[in-house]
Amino acid sequence: MRLFLREQLPLLAVYIAQLLIVTLVYRLDGGSSVNVSLYAAVLSTCLLIAYLAARYLSNRSFYERMESTPSSLEDSGGPSQSSPLADSLRRLLAHQFRLYKNDLHSYRHKLEEHVHFINQWVHGMKTPLSVIHLIIQDKDGPPFTAIGDELDRLKKGLDTVLYSARLDTFEHDFYVERLELTKLVRSVTSEQKRLFIRNRVFPVIEMESAISVASDEKWLSFVLTQLITNAVRYTVETGKNIVFRGYLQEGNLPVLEIRDEGVGIPQGDLPRVFDPYFTGVNGRSFQESTGMGLYLVKQICGKLGHEVTISSEVGVGTTVRICFRDTGQLTIV
């Protein structure tokens, strides 16, 4: 109704102006009295009101549809009313919807091709890395150790590219199952033993009891790898520990806590550490920072139904907590 009244405001203004002009002309001409002019104005106004009422009733669903907000794409069609204006709007929206669906389909097709290309490229790059790793695994000496370290960095970089590309198609690539938290943490820390040894930092695993969580092993392992890489990278002093503590909080909800003794994160940077490409103050001191690690951790945990939080104190260390909750949207197999 409000939209209809706003649309008719110019007509009402023209009508009032026309009524005043006609009345003034008649008065100046001396052809009629005031009562006759008022009578003519009332009749004319009644005719206008009848016209507006008929106009509104015949297009009421059109104006109601224009004032409502669609809740989905399928609900974005035109009004069901049969009138020239409603029919034109319905045809226009249907045409726009088809164009939008075609563009969306094209975009999805390009995205799938891009992900497929990234998958093939990453796997293609991993093959020579594995060959080089096999060649040097029995070799001793600083050059071979340095080559091994660079191979680890390349492998993690390729994994980051691979998982970033797959993030948009996460729903097609996850497998939820019951995982024993201690076993998973030991497996991931064992895979990163070269990183721990190279930086002379020691993993400490503290589990209150046998805790099982519902999650995807591959994605969760990638999350832990990212957190371990960050924890080790920002622990500049040797002989420090990275503590993996698992416990049950109120409501028997499992929590995994990763606590390092590194440089810590300034309080001003904490609200933005999960933003993509944000490196903050520490990123200017540590050249390897990309700002994508914690962003991927947040995104993946969100898709897995886990909550991730972070707290830190400069000079003391950083603690990341993964709360395994809200698995109702996932199917446990």
Side-chain angles (χ1 to χ4, degrees):
M1 186 65 175
R2 287 180 297 180
L3 178 61
F4 174 76
L5 292 177
R6 287 202 304 270
E7 188 189 20
Q8 303 302 327
L9 281 178
L11 174 62
L12 293 174
V14 171
Y15 167 77
I16 293 173
Q18 175 263 338
L19 189 62
L20 292 175
I21 292 173
V22 172
T23 302
L24 181 62
V25 169
Y26 271 103
R27 290 296 297 163
L28 293 176
D29 191 48
S32 63
S33 64
V34 175
N35 291 335
V36 174
S37 298
L38 290 177
Y39 181 69
V42 170
L43 288 179
S44 176
T45 303
C46 289
L47 185 62
L48 176 65
I49 293 174
Y51 164 76
L52 293 177
R55 182 74 178 172
Y56 174 72
L57 291 176
S58 62
N59 294 284
R60 183 174 58 182
S61 63
F62 168 79
Y63 288 105
E64 291 175 347
R65 184 69 186 86
M66 294 296 291
E67 289 182 313
S68 63
T69 303
S71 57
S72 64
L73 285 177
E74 287 71 18
D75 193 34
S76 60
S80 57
Q81 179 180 335
S82 178
S83 67
L85 191 59
D87 291 340
S88 297
L89 177 63
R90 193 161 48 243
R91 286 195 297 271
L92 175 63
L93 291 178
H95 182 66
Q96 289 181 336
F97 185 65
R98 283 196 298 273
L99 293 177
Y100 175 77
K101 287 182 68 175
N102 290 337
D103 287 345
L104 187 62
H105 178 74
S106 176
Y107 170 75
R108 286 178 176 171
H109 181 67
K110 290 179 180 178
L111 178 62
E112 291 174 355
E113 286 186 340
H114 175 72
V115 173
H116 181 66
F117 168 75
I118 292 295
N119 285 337
Q120 286 189 324
W121 182 79
V122 169
H123 287 298
M125 291 298 102
K126 281 186 174 182
T127 301
L129 293 182
S130 300
V131 173
I132 297 173
H133 182 74
L134 287 173
I135 292 175
I136 67 168
Q137 65 178 353
D138 296 328
K139 307 292 184 181
D140 295 325
F144 298 105
T145 302
I147 293 174
D149 294 342
E150 296 304 322
L151 288 177
D152 287 343
R153 290 194 180 96
L154 283 173
K155 183 175 181 300
K156 287 178 181 176
L158 291 175
D159 284 340
T160 300
V161 172
L162 184 64
Y163 281 86
S164 298
R166 289 178 175 176
L167 200 57
D168 290 331
T169 57
F170 177 87
E171 64 276 8
H172 301 307
D173 186 30
F174 75 96
Y175 184 83
V176 180
E177 57 187 330
R178 284 287 173 188
L179 302 174
E180 188 177 336
L181 199 54
T182 305
K183 182 178 179 181
L184 178 67
V185 172
R186 291 188 185 282
S187 173
V188 176
T189 53
S190 177
E191 290 179 0
Q192 303 302 319
K193 60 183 179 182
R194 289 175 57 88
L195 182 66
F196 286 110
I197 294 173
R198 182 173 68 240
N199 292 275
R200 298 181 182 178
V201 178
F202 305 100
V204 178
I205 300 175
E206 299 175 352
M207 296 289 174
E208 290 185 354
S209 58
I211 300 175
S212 66
V213 298
S215 188
D216 181 292
E217 183 176 4
K218 181 180 68 177
W219 287 97
L220 187 56
S221 297
F222 176 76
V223 166
L224 295 181
T225 301
Q226 290 294 317
L227 295 177
I228 290 172
T229 303
N230 279 355
V232 173
R233 176 183 299 159
Y234 297 118
T235 302
V236 292
E237 298 181 16
T238 59
K240 298 292 185 180
N241 296 327
I242 295 177
V243 180
F244 299 84
R245 179 170 171 255
Y247 59 93
L248 297 176
Q249 65 176 4
E250 186 178 356
N252 286 329
L253 294 175
V255 176
L256 176 61
E257 189 176 278
I258 299 100
R259 183 176 70 252
D260 65 54
E261 300 173 336
V263 297
I265 303 172
Q267 292 299 311
D269 287 351
L270 276 179
R272 300 179 60 193
V273 293
F274 292 118
D275 294 344
Y277 308 110
F278 178 75
T279 55
V281 175
N282 290 337
R284 288 154 182 76
S285 304
F286 298 84
Q287 298 300 320
E288 294 183 359
S289 300
T290 63
M292 288 298 291
L294 287 178
Y295 166 73
L296 290 174
V297 167
K298 183 74 172 181
Q299 295 297 313
I300 294 171
C301 284
K303 291 181 180 295
L304 289 173
H306 312 327
E307 181 184 1
V308 57
T309 58
I310 188 170
S311 59
S312 184
E313 184 176 352
V314 175
V316 177
T318 302
T319 301
V320 179
R321 295 179 184 84
I322 301 176
C323 301
F324 298 90
R325 61 177 63 178
D326 190 21
T327 57
Q329 298 178 351
L330 302 176
T331 301
I332 302 173
V333 297

